[in-house]
Amino acid sequence: MAKLWGGRFQKNTDEKVDDFNSSIRFDKRMYKQDIKGSIAHASMLGKQGIISLEDSEKIVAGLKEILVEIENGQVKFDIDAEDIHMNIEKLLTEKIGDAGKRLHTGRSRNDQVALDIRMYLMEEIDEIHVMIKHLLEVIVEIATKNTEAIMPGYTHLQKAQPITFAHHIMAYFEMFKRDIQRLADCRERMNIMPLGSGALAATTYPLDREFVAKQLGFSDITYNSLDGVSDRDFVIELASVLSIIMMHLSRFCEELILWSSHEFSFVEMDDAYSTGSSIMPQKKNPDVAELIRGKTGRVYGHLMGLLTIMKGIPLAYNKDMQEDKEPIFDAVDTVKLCIPVFCDMIATMKINKDNMRNGARGGFTNATDLADYLVKKGMPFREAHGVSGRMVYYCIEQNKSLDEMSLEEMQSFSDIIKDDIYDAISMESCVNERKIPGGPAKGTVEKAIKKALDFLKTV
Ligand code: ARG
């Protein structure tokens, strides 16, 4: 089949090369952006007198019809036309004749694809933004119901100090809040219009680039034609933001998997978000959480792949860059697949407050509070740390917890201990005395939740 660029060739490309070279299989998903971009370009060409107004209008009308035909499933794309850009141009020329051949005036596929991918990814960012916002709302809702649900906090996965489930889960609010901000920041840099860069050295036609940018809703234009066609930083940035989102989901999933184990039993996934075993009748596995954790690797892989594709490419456009699409599309698809199922999974899980509370009681999570008690009675902290540590050791030997010691037993370690100690080292005090901003005390977490709700009104 004759190629749109076939003029200087004597021979057809090998069939295998047609297939190899073609990107229509995966770039067809940018059809809407490609048509939108072409409509803006054609209108500008007409306005500038570069083509006649009549041709410009014919092109715009033809492109609008093609859009409807594609959406109705009436169009079969052609591998020989290589990519979405040439497929649409070919359809247009078949439809409106010679006027269609004027569309590509002052444009190259290099700046065209740079335009399309920016527009496509900005729309995807907007969808992911909405999904993360919903996730943040779900987190706040769970937190609101659990400000008194005491649980152990961990460092090194060893019981450390008591916190509440609300406080724990609000840590994830902070993480996903940063993600939503990172997405917005990435979108801002993406929001510049490269058309007019041409193949690499702009063009001699008097294009009105600002007009095109305005038509398409971009906030600015690119200011170097080489960079305009060869920059894929925004793809890599987005892959990096998506990787961080997956990393956060994955850490959350890891905790949920751990907490669903018999040993912890802090949470139980709803049956609708668990699966059984084909051999072990008793099993209820947190597959959804595991799969999200697993898919994280896939998104990281795409980030690494994109960085590697770009690392050795001389300016300006090179065909290597066609390889940017599959990884970033799959990264976007994966994140969009994971967030909604994750939201529903955590919204429906059962929280076993009693088991959490029992978990907080074991493991001497109030040993710091015991030391702090001694400090408040005048003992230097380092000394108090030693006394509390010796009391812990004693309790381990006696197989009891700190609050199970009698006052006499306690006083044998330090006579400044009085019977107000029991209140000072109760789980409630351990949590609720940590009331400085950022702490787990009920009132403090309630303030953090209020701040979170205020933030949600701004995004
Ligand atoms: N399909 C190509 C891509 O995705 C479009 C640009 C092709 N330009 C070229 N001169 N071969 O990058």
Side-chain angles (χ1 to χ4, degrees), residues 245-276:
I245 292 172
M246 290 304 294
M247 181 263 288
H248 290 155
L249 286 174
S250 185
R251 291 183 76 174
F252 208 152
C253 285
E254 167 61 19
E255 297 203 303
L256 296 175
I257 293 162
L258 202 62
W259 294 343
S260 311
S261 67
H262 182 76
E263 288 74 4
F264 276 81
S265 299
F266 285 0
V267 297
E268 188 182 335
M269 297 304 159
D270 191 81
D271 280 2
Y273 293 89
S274 312
T275 52

Side-chain angles (χ1 to χ4, degrees), residues 23 27 83 85 109-110 113 317 319 321-322 325:
S23 53
D27 64 18
D83 53 27
H85 324 294
R109 269 186 299 152
N110 298 352
V113 71
Y317 179 86
K319 190 73 171 218
M321 289 160 73
Q322 181 166 286
K325 285 171 208 63

Side-chain angles (χ1 to χ4, degrees), residues 59 62-63 66 88-97 100 103:
I59 292 173
L63 287 169
I66 292 170
I88 288 176
E89 191 181 327
K90 185 172 146 267
L91 290 167
L92 181 70
T93 305
E94 280 164 10
K95 185 182 274 298
I96 66 168
L103 167 64

Side-chain angles (χ1 to χ4, degrees), residues 63-131:
L63 287 169
K64 284 183 178 162
E65 278 177 36
I66 292 170
L67 179 62
V68 174
E69 286 161 14
I70 295 175
E71 285 187 334
N72 290 343
Q74 292 161 273
V75 171
K76 207 177 158 316
F77 291 116
D78 178 4
I79 270 228
D80 283 341
E82 249 180 84
D83 53 27
I84 188 63
H85 324 294
M86 292 205 295
N87 262 276
I88 288 176
E89 191 181 327
K90 185 172 146 267
L91 290 167
L92 181 70
T93 305
E94 280 164 10
K95 185 182 274 298
I96 66 168
D98 276 356
K101 296 184 189 163
R102 297 189 196 278
L103 167 64
H104 210 51
T105 314
R107 189 175 70 170
S108 157
R109 269 186 299 152
N110 298 352
D111 54 358
Q112 190 178 355
V113 71
L115 174 82
D116 292 2
I117 186 127
R118 280 176 190 271
M119 290 201 292
Y120 180 82
L121 293 179
M122 282 197 286
E123 282 182 30
E124 295 286 19
I125 286 177
D126 293 343
E127 282 183 35
I128 296 171
H129 179 106
V130 172
M131 288 178 174

Side-chain angles (χ1 to χ4, degrees), residues 178-209:
R178 289 193 293 274
D179 289 331
I180 224 171
Q181 291 169 329
R182 258 188 288 270
L183 271 178
D185 181 54
C186 167
R187 190 188 193 286
E188 201 177 307
R189 254 185 306 284
M190 203 179 282
N191 195 6
I192 53 173
M193 208 290 298
L195 225 53
S197 303
L200 79 160
T203 179
T204 54
Y205 296 101
L207 306 186
D208 185 347
R209 301 188 62 209

Side-chain angles (χ1 to χ4, degrees), residues 46 51-60 96 99:
I51 64 173
S52 70
L53 274 178
E54 196 194 330
D55 282 346
S56 159
E57 279 158 18
K58 263 197 207 157
I59 292 173
V60 171
I96 66 168

